[in-house]
Amino acid sequence: MATDKFEVSLKKLEDIVAKLEAGTLPLDASIKAFEEGVRHAAFCNERLGEAERTVEQLLRKRDGSFT
């Protein structure tokens, strides 16, 4: 579900980075790939933030400290 979408987005981001690092794309295609990569990076970052908040909530004791 959300994890599957995260994994798919992360894989696409990795593929985009590899293409850009290869330096073989024309400028217009590089810009388009970079824009797509930024979208995937933002999506992944948001999902990681959600996961971190969930873990923090699960670990938080009643007094507000962590176990």
Side-chain angles (χ1 to χ4, degrees):
M1 308 186 211
T3 303
D4 295 337
K5 291 180 182 179
F6 172 82
E7 296 297 334
V8 169
S9 195
L10 183 60
K11 176 64 174 138
K12 288 181 180 180
L13 180 57
E14 290 170 345
D15 292 344
I16 290 167
V17 169
K19 288 178 186 177
L20 290 172
E21 286 179 340
T24 56
L25 294 175
L27 180 59
D28 289 342
S30 293
I31 292 170
K32 191 176 228 180
F34 181 80
E35 289 173 352
E36 183 181 356
V38 168
R39 286 191 300 273
H40 286 293
F43 174 83
C44 289
N45 188 50
E46 180 60 31
R47 295 302 165 263
L48 288 172
E50 290 172 5
E52 182 178 17
R53 287 185 293 277
T54 299
V55 169
E56 287 175 353
Q57 288 176 351
L58 293 171
L59 295 177
R60 193 173 303 276
K61 289 184 180 178
R62 289 185 154 207
D63 64 2
S65 64
F66 289 101
T67 58

